[in-house]
Amino acid sequence: MSEPSTGAARARDKPWIFRTYAGHSNARDSNALYRKNLAKGQTGLSVAFDLPTQTGYDSDHPLAKGEVGKVGVPISHLGDMRTLFEQIPLGEMNTSMTINATAAWLLALYVALADEQGVAREKLQGTTQNDIIKEYLSRGTYVFPPAPSMRLTKDVILFTTREMPKWNPINVCSYHLQEAGATPVQELAFALATAIAVLDTVQASGAVERGAFGEVVGRISFFVNAGLRFITELCKMRAFAELWDEITAERYGVNDPKQRLFRYGVQVNSLALTEQQPENNVTRILIEMLAVTLSKSARARAVQLPAWNEALGLPRPWDQQWSLRMQQILAYETDLLEYGDIFDGAPAIAEKVERLKREAKEELAHIDALGGAIAAVEHGYMKQQLVESNTRRVEAIERGEQIVVGVNRYMESESSPLAGAADAILTVSPQAEAEQIERLKAWRSARDQKAASAALKELRTAARENRNIVPPSIVCAKAGVTTGEWGFALRESFGEYRAPTGVGRAPRNETVGLDDLRAEVERVSRKLGRRLTFVLGKPGLDGHSNGAEQIAVRARDAGMEVVYDGIRLTPAEIVEAAREQGAHVLGLSILSGSHVPLVKDVVARMKSAGLDDIPVIVGGIIPAEDAQALQQAGVAAVYTPKDFELNRIMADIVRIVDRTAA
């Protein structure tokens, strides 16, 4: 029986770009993973770089210890880039690079490789994330102060607009804002405020020819988050599109509707993934994907999905394949792409979109009154708002007001044959770092040292003279300059920066559920003879600080004296802070997979400093066998994402201190 007629036949829409976010260990292994995923039907690459690469350090720098190849691929020089893209035709590939502080450098390496392969720059397609503002607010891979960082962002935009017309020079990124606790309104307003700050910077440079600014605007893209509140997230996407159209027309006078399009890629929410009953994450990922694909007028241009087991550790190729197949089934087995926008004319959708737009405009006006996004970063306003929003979210889950299946409701569970299987996650070989360092040393020895020195000198001159940084960076790439050398050359000119933590010193007035805990803190403090002091540190290069911030806020509200100085501290700095502040307990937060070497380093330094009577506790994405190893090394307690009840953690801390004070 044939289907009833629905009018004239319409062409099936082209699917979005299918990506998986990938990279680990080294360029060779990552290349093999990319080629395997492309063979499975992935249509674009999304490159994850390790933390030393993201923060401008070579793999053999002391701060890179334990971090090499853990959360992405290490790229120290052009040779690594060659290996990473071996047998992958750059002229045909759409490559997304999640890189920010060092975006100009990774773009330079990519362009240098394309030049080497004879691929015309105008053929290159892809994206550099290049959104430094959200790094100060959430992800933490910033290096330089805001002003020179914005200059680098501008330089990439101007270079690519002129020489790489198919390249998106920036993904204004709200993804990590939601991961840090942003409400839909904050995600809209903070991301749009960032885009405005970037475009204002480009416009103020005077480097864009009259009448050509629309082309700059047309190359701006966004990278967003989609959570589990399906209708709200779908409406947020439609609100984004409408607000961007208004801003680009009214503020920048862009007349071409195509240049005003809200073009975005998405990774759906990893914050919602749970360590408990992790198989439920498959359902969560699928629902989140629907929010950015069902509404044609606000459909993502590219989608990358996390794997079901990312709350446990690094996913395996099979896990990534499962997420890729979800996209392919929706695109090719359903009739989604055969219809127009199925939400047009829906009153509930229109009402929700208008409410989001109205509230986002109010927040945008407030940020503008503060002096714009950069001023709101420097004054700590946006960071503080995110910390407070995240606090409300965590408390709602703790109180059971926000239901999370398997976490605070329906917790009875069969044992998982997936999570319980041997090798359920991918682990990076301990030899990967040593091998990468050996290759780096060999590269430095084999290059033309005079050419590298001359290129670095020209880079420093360009930085001082405010010339576009990309052309001399390409020269550096071709001369064999390394990531760390590039990074330190610019550190000499621009300096480094430590962003506000968003964690205030004064406790909140709201004390629901804290009375008993505060009483215990008071009792133990009297026993100690002064206020119980909790020093909290993030060793290594991991910039994901959301968990540490929430621990700091709860400890402060429970009545402890909390010392938290933010991200990227060395073990030596953390131990010195414990000594100076007279810590009664030291907490370490590490989410990059580098917990074993970094924690053991801190523990050893505490012992050498005569501070081994101070208990150390650790939090992060830590497999059970690693937790056992850390406890054997002297750690008093280990917490993972399943430990979501912060008051219980606080009570544990008080008991641990009480025990050591006896």
Side-chain angles (χ1 to χ4, degrees):
M1 181 176 178
S2 62
E3 292 187 5
S5 172
T6 56
R10 70 181 294 278
R12 185 178 176 86
D13 291 333
K14 184 179 178 181
W16 52 91
I17 297 171
F18 304 148
R19 302 192 200 272
T20 53
Y21 182 53
H24 66 86
S25 300
N26 56 56
R28 182 190 64 250
D29 291 351
S30 298
N31 170 263
L33 177 62
Y34 295 164
R35 288 191 285 116
K36 190 179 293 184
N37 285 345
L38 291 169
K40 292 174 182 175
Q42 184 175 306
T43 53
L45 292 178
S46 182
V47 181
F49 297 100
D50 74 354
L51 290 173
T53 304
Q54 292 185 55
T55 51
Y57 294 106
D58 282 332
S59 297
D60 59 352
H61 191 278
L63 283 174
K65 183 179 180 181
E67 305 278 17
V68 177
K70 288 289 175 63
V71 301
V73 58
I75 299 296
S76 295
H77 46 73
L78 183 58
D80 284 340
M81 202 64 134
R82 286 184 194 128
T83 302
L84 186 65
F85 289 99
E86 187 176 352
Q87 298 182 49
I88 296 174
L90 298 191
E92 302 170 24
M93 185 50 54
N94 190 303
T95 303
S96 172
M97 295 193 284
T98 301
I99 197 72
N100 296 281
T102 56
W105 174 240
L106 271 298
L107 178 69
L109 289 170
Y110 195 80
V111 171
L113 181 60
D115 288 352
E116 190 174 271
Q117 293 180 355
V119 178
R121 295 177 183 181
E122 59 264 25
K123 288 186 177 181
L124 297 175
Q125 299 181 66
T127 305
T128 34
Q129 193 167 95
N130 198 28
D131 173 8
I132 200 64
I133 291 179
K134 66 93 175 48
E135 296 299 318
Y136 300 122
L137 300 176
S138 53
R139 194 160 167 266
T141 66
Y142 59 84
V143 176
F144 314 113
S149 292
M150 285 293 281
R151 171 198 161 176
L152 294 178
T153 297
K154 174 207 67 172
D155 286 354
V156 168
I157 291 170
L158 292 173
F159 178 85
T160 54
T161 303
R162 184 176 65 250
E163 298 202 25
M164 303 166 65
K166 294 183 179 180
W167 194 268
N168 297 317
I170 182 172
N171 256 160
V172 178
C173 184
S174 71
Y175 173 84
H176 298 93
L177 300 180
Q178 187 177 130
E179 296 282 294
T183 65
V185 168
Q186 288 171 336
E187 190 178 342
L188 284 164
F190 291 6
L192 291 170
T194 295
I196 289 169
V198 168
L199 288 177
D200 284 356
T201 299
V202 174
Q203 196 172 53
S205 72
V208 181
E209 295 178 8
R210 187 175 182 85
F213 197 69
E215 181 59 29
V216 173
V217 173
R219 299 266 32 105
I220 302 294
S221 61
F222 290 76
F223 186 70
V224 306
N225 203 329
L228 276 164
R229 291 180 58 80
F230 169 77
I231 299 300
T232 298
E233 294 295 326
L234 186 148
C235 292
K236 181 188 75 183
M237 297 294 97
R238 294 170 70 100
F240 252 135
E242 293 180 21
L243 285 167
W244 185 241
D245 184 75
E246 293 174 17
I247 289 168
T248 52
E250 296 169 7
R251 187 180 184 101
Y252 300 110
V254 179
N255 296 318
D256 186 344
K258 289 184 179 179
Q259 294 175 337
R260 300 201 307 266
L261 285 175
F262 180 76
R263 300 176 306 110
Y264 77 97
V266 64
Q267 164 137 339
V268 305
N269 196 330
S270 295
L271 182 67
L273 303 184
T274 64
E275 183 180 358
Q276 303 93 317
Q277 300 179 23
E279 60 278 1
N280 295 339
N281 294 331
V282 176
T283 305
R284 295 184 175 106
I285 292 165
L286 176 60
I287 291 171
E288 291 169 342
M289 177 176 62
L290 294 177
V292 295
T293 53
L294 288 187
S295 176
K296 181 182 177 180
S297 63
R299 183 172 294 152
R301 300 293 182 94
V303 176
Q304 59 190 46
L305 304 179
W308 68 279
N309 57 349
E310 285 192 17
L312 307 178
L314 193 64
R316 302 157 299 182
W318 183 84
D319 306 312
Q320 292 188 328
Q321 175 184 299
W322 196 354
S323 291
L324 175 62
R325 294 294 183 247
M326 272 192 250
Q327 296 200 55
Q328 293 167 328
I329 289 168
L330 179 64
Y332 296 121
E333 293 193 25
T334 77
D335 57 354
L336 171 66
L337 299 179
E338 297 171 12
Y339 292 87
D341 199 307
I342 60 177
F343 295 97
D344 284 350
I349 298 295
E351 181 183 350
K352 181 67 173 178
V353 170
E354 285 305 312
R355 187 183 313 130
L356 287 170
K357 287 174 60 180
R358 182 177 65 254
E359 293 176 7
K361 286 179 179 178
E362 291 171 359
E363 182 62 34
L364 273 169
H366 181 68
I367 293 170
D368 189 54
L370 293 174
I374 293 296
V377 166
E378 293 173 334
H379 297 157
Y381 168 75
M382 288 200 285
K383 180 65 174 178
Q384 184 178 5
Q385 294 301 303
L386 292 177
V387 171
E388 291 176 359
S389 294
N390 206 17
T391 298
R392 290 191 292 271
R393 181 190 69 83
V394 169
E395 289 176 339
I397 293 172
E398 287 181 293
R399 291 195 290 260
E401 297 167 2
Q402 181 174 327
I403 294 173
V404 182
V405 174
V407 173
N408 62 4
R409 188 75 65 87
Y410 313 116
M411 293 171 283
E412 287 294 320
S413 177
E414 301 294 331
S415 60
S416 170
L418 288 173
D423 301 321
I425 57 173
L426 182 68
T427 56
V428 175
S429 165
Q431 286 75 45
E433 181 170 322
E435 292 170 357
Q436 173 68 12
I437 290 171
E438 286 305 310
R439 285 190 296 270
L440 174 58
K441 289 178 178 177
W443 174 268
R444 288 200 196 104
S445 297
R447 70 186 178 183
D448 183 335
Q449 302 297 343
K450 288 185 178 180
S453 296
L456 281 168
K457 182 178 180 181
E458 177 59 19
L459 178 70
R460 293 186 185 96
T461 302
R464 287 196 305 271
E465 295 179 352
N466 203 27
R467 289 189 274 122
N468 193 300
I469 215 72
V470 179
S473 295
I474 294 172
V475 174
C476 282
K478 293 178 179 180
V481 166
T482 66
T483 297
E485 291 167 340
W486 183 90
F488 276 94
L490 294 192
R491 281 175 166 93
E492 290 176 19
S493 295
F494 301 152
E496 294 191 71
Y497 184 71
R498 183 166 290 280
T501 67
V503 178
R505 295 188 63 84
R508 293 180 302 152
N509 293 326
E510 186 178 350
T511 60
V512 177
L514 287 177
D515 289 346
D516 291 345
L517 186 55
R518 282 185 163 187
E520 275 298 284
V521 171
E522 289 298 326
R523 180 186 68 79
V524 174
S525 293
R526 286 195 297 270
K527 183 177 179 180
L528 294 167
R530 60 186 176 89
R531 178 68 50 191
L532 193 164
T533 300
F534 179 20
V535 172
L536 181 59
K538 285 191 64 63
L541 299 178
D542 171 34
H544 289 86
S545 58
N546 306 330
E549 291 154 5
Q550 292 308 309
I551 290 290
V553 166
R554 187 61 56 86
R556 178 202 67 192
D557 291 349
M560 300 182 202
E561 179 71 26
V562 177
V563 179
Y564 172 59
D565 292 326
I567 63 173
R568 297 215 300 267
L569 298 170
T570 66
E573 288 171 329
I574 291 171
V575 171
E576 179 59 20
R579 187 192 64 78
E580 282 188 355
Q581 301 294 333
H584 296 114
V585 60
L586 174 63
L588 304 175
S589 171
I590 307 167
L591 282 85
S592 65
S594 304
H595 41 268
V596 171
L598 287 171
V599 171
K600 287 185 175 180
D601 190 356
V602 171
V603 170
R605 289 173 183 272
M606 292 285 283
K607 185 174 182 179
S608 297
L611 302 175
D612 47 329
D613 58 328
I614 300 173
V616 176
I617 62 173
V618 180
I621 300 176
I622 301 173
E625 59 271 22
D626 287 356
Q628 186 176 6
L630 293 177
Q631 287 173 323
Q632 289 172 348
V635 169
V638 176
Y639 300 96
T640 68
K642 72 177 184 300
D643 301 301
F644 70 97
E645 297 170 302
L646 298 191
N647 283 357
R648 183 178 66 79
I649 295 175
M650 295 301 118
D652 286 351
I653 292 172
V654 175
R655 280 194 294 272
I656 290 168
V657 173
D658 191 19
R659 195 165 58 236
T660 59

